[in-house]
Amino acid sequence: MLCMIMFAISLNAQDASSQMKTTIASPDSNVNFRLYRTFNRWTFLKLDTRTGKINHVQYSMDGDAMQYSLNDYPLVDEEGAKTGRFFLYPTENIYTFILLDQVDGRVWQVQWNIDKSKRGIWRIY
């Protein structure tokens, strides 16, 4: 009986942790910006769905909120920019996401970090 209770508790805990890993994004594909939750309670990633530009958004209870760019340049030209073109997918690494161009299939590794030398995006070929 005790084993069954422990197994049920373990399953419930696993279910709760898998729910925390789910990225919640607006079901509306006609949005210019999306906020993606990270596994860091203070950090979100703001994606411009038209151009692929990403900002690290960090809120604070102490007034130290900040926002900085992970990639300073758009990934498509003005003519190719289209609402809903780019989408972010979380990985098991709390600092890493995969960025997908839903039009042509290109992908990038997205790395956020407070340390400037450890953040950016890199094309995956």
Side-chain angles (χ1 to χ4, degrees), residues 43-65:
T43 300
F44 285 82
L45 297 181
K46 182 178 80 173
L47 171 66
D48 184 329
T49 69
R50 301 162 298 181
T51 65
K53 290 181 69 171
I54 303 169
N55 283 357
H56 171 158
V57 177
Q58 186 169 339
Y59 70 95
S60 168
M61 303 305 280
D62 301 328
D64 295 330

Side-chain angles (χ1 to χ4, degrees), residues 26 28-34 49-50 83-84:
S26 167
D28 183 0
S29 61
N30 293 318
V31 294
N32 293 334
F33 295 93
R34 290 185 190 273
T49 69
R50 301 162 298 181
T83 299

Side-chain angles (χ1 to χ4, degrees), residues 14-112:
Q14 288 176 359
D15 186 48
S17 68
S18 67
Q19 288 176 359
M20 290 176 60
K21 294 180 182 180
T22 303
T23 296
I24 299 172
S26 167
D28 183 0
S29 61
N30 293 318
V31 294
N32 293 334
F33 295 93
R34 290 185 190 273
L35 273 180
Y36 291 88
R37 178 176 62 193
T38 70
F39 291 116
N40 178 309
R41 75 165 55 175
W42 307 105
T43 300
F44 285 82
L45 297 181
K46 182 178 80 173
L47 171 66
D48 184 329
T49 69
R50 301 162 298 181
T51 65
K53 290 181 69 171
I54 303 169
N55 283 357
H56 171 158
V57 177
Q58 186 169 339
Y59 70 95
S60 168
M61 303 305 280
D62 301 328
D64 295 330
M66 64 176 190
Q67 184 173 188
Y68 57 81
S69 178
L70 294 182
N71 55 329
D72 292 325
Y73 303 103
L75 302 176
V76 293
D77 60 20
E78 218 175 281
E79 190 175 296
K82 174 183 164 190
T83 299
R85 180 169 182 157
F86 292 92
F87 196 86
L88 276 173
Y89 294 87
T91 68
E92 291 295 316
N93 180 322
I94 69 167
Y95 298 103
T96 306
F97 283 72
I98 300 297
L99 177 66
L100 172 66
D101 181 334
Q102 298 182 119
V103 171
D104 65 19
R106 292 178 298 158
V107 291
W108 292 263
Q109 177 178 330
V110 175
Q111 195 85 19
W112 69 268

